[in-house]
Amino acid sequence: DRDGRFSTKNKRGPYYGLLRRGTPITLSTITGVDNFNRTASGLGSASDGHVWTSSPTWSTDGSKAIQNQIAANVSSTPFLNRSNVWNGDYRVTVGVSVVATGAALRCSFVARALDSSNCIQFRADFQTDGNVDAVIAKRVAGTTTTLNTTADVAAYSANQMFRIRAQADGSDLRMKLWAPANVADPDADEPDSWTITASDDTQTASAVGMSAWRVVGNTNAGVPAFVFD
């Protein structure tokens, strides 16, 4: 409290008028961040120095991470090493290069992970009807179970970016999904309410990462790109 931000008498403080005896406060620390401000094959080292696990189908172009899937029913999930957290507040911007045909294209922030087969997914599902769904799911031993979903959050177009903000807080899981007006400042128009909530505390690991999944039955020509920032 060196700048007095928690003082009830500091009229210049950011919380002036909001604090009184017994006001609950959450304190947090940043465990990992990457703005992908490099050009490389593979993801390499994040902007905070942590190292990604990744496959050759991932790359960075100076501002974002890109994953090119080879075939339908293929997923890829790199993790940001040593950025582990069980209770967390997560933000990522995602998009796909095409409107899905045949079956969905899925972008996830992955949390509470032991590995890609055992984790929580905060997911944007880009559907074949041109709408994006918000999904909270868990994977146990490779089997995916949907905990909650909200369909048709918004219409999307090829290369349109969407913002995910998610929280894992004890047994409470929360997710917001929206299309930012300005991708360079995606949190400026964050909605007040959570798009979707769920409950689960069975996943006890703590790795974090991102996942691109070309669902079985997808018929997009060529190699769709999954974009993360």
Side-chain angles (χ1 to χ4, degrees):
D1 194 26
R2 291 188 178 125
D3 61 0
R5 66 179 55 215
F6 299 122
S7 170
T8 59
K9 298 179 181 180
N10 180 10
K11 293 185 177 181
R12 295 185 177 181
Y15 309 119
Y16 181 73
L18 301 176
L19 301 178
R20 57 185 58 83
R21 185 183 299 275
T23 300
I25 297 173
T26 299
L27 301 179
S28 62
T29 184
I30 295 174
T31 65
V33 62
D34 199 353
N35 55 24
F36 303 109
N37 59 349
R38 57 196 179 277
T39 302
S41 176
L43 296 178
S45 295
S47 50
D48 68 357
H50 291 141
V51 179
W52 285 95
T53 64
S54 67
S55 72
T57 54
W58 289 86
S59 62
T60 57
D61 69 355
S63 64
K64 56 188 178 294
I66 304 168
Q67 210 283 343
N68 293 115
Q69 297 287 4
I70 297 173
N73 201 27
V74 173
S75 64
S76 182
T77 308
F79 294 98
L80 190 55
N81 286 333
R82 303 184 68 181
S83 295
N84 297 34
V85 58
W86 193 71
N87 282 333
D89 189 306
Y90 322 104
R91 297 173 187 265
V92 63
T93 307
V94 300
V96 291
S97 63
V98 294
V99 175
T101 58
L105 302 170
R106 295 175 173 175
C107 296
S108 303
F109 185 89
V110 177
R112 292 185 174 176
L114 175 64
D115 51 35
S116 60
S117 296
N118 298 273
C119 59
I120 294 291
Q121 296 177 331
F122 297 100
R123 214 168 68 209
D125 284 8
F126 295 89
Q127 301 287 6
T128 58
D129 63 359
N131 290 299
V132 59
D133 300 348
V135 180
I136 300 176
K138 69 176 178 179
R139 282 175 59 78
V140 178
T143 298
T144 304
T145 300
T146 298
L147 299 175
N148 203 355
T149 182
T150 296
D152 302 342
V153 173
Y156 76 95
S157 56
N159 298 307
Q160 182 179 7
M161 302 299 287
F162 284 80
R163 188 67 160 171
I164 294 173
R165 182 187 179 187
Q167 290 181 348
D169 179 13
S171 62
D172 296 326
L173 306 174
R174 315 177 185 100
M175 176 181 171
K176 297 179 182 181
L177 180 66
W178 73 98
N182 179 6
V183 177
D185 187 16
D187 297 325
D189 49 2
E190 177 182 338
D192 293 331
S193 300
W194 295 100
T195 308
I196 190 172
T197 61
S199 180
D200 183 84
D201 60 4
T202 62
Q203 302 294 71
T204 57
S206 58
V208 296
M210 53 192 182
S211 179
W213 185 356
R214 189 175 179 184
V215 176
V216 61
N218 178 269
T219 57
N220 284 106
V223 184
F226 297 74
V227 179
F228 293 76
D229 195 7

